[in-house]
Amino acid sequence: FGSIDPAVVRLAGEDEVKTAPKPVQDAISALVNLGYGRPQAAAAVAASVKALGEGAETQALIRRGLKELAQ
């Protein structure tokens, strides 16, 4: 998921999210529950995975995702 460009994730939608690792799915879900759209949340988490690495935990992905969305 981290090797995918966040812009591509934004356009791809649900399909990429369903095959993503559990921490990525959980981080996207958390951002959606905070009121962000699913494409924006998925793109922010993809950028977070790219920055933090594939092994990043859910909490780190959420924090970084929020920073990405605030830019």
Side-chain angles (χ1 to χ4, degrees):
F1 200 76
S3 62
I4 301 171
D5 187 324
V8 173
V9 174
R10 185 184 304 264
L11 297 173
E14 298 286 328
D15 295 337
E16 292 295 329
V17 173
K18 289 179 184 173
T19 60
K22 183 81 168 123
V24 170
Q25 291 179 21
D26 291 345
I28 293 169
S29 177
L31 294 176
V32 169
N33 287 336
L34 288 173
Y36 294 99
R38 186 165 294 278
Q40 292 81 17
V45 172
S48 300
V49 171
K50 200 170 203 174
L52 300 173
E54 295 286 334
E57 293 185 9
T58 303
Q59 292 175 345
L61 293 173
I62 294 168
R63 280 193 300 272
R64 180 68 184 230
L66 287 169
K67 288 180 183 177
E68 292 288 333
L69 290 164
Q71 293 179 1

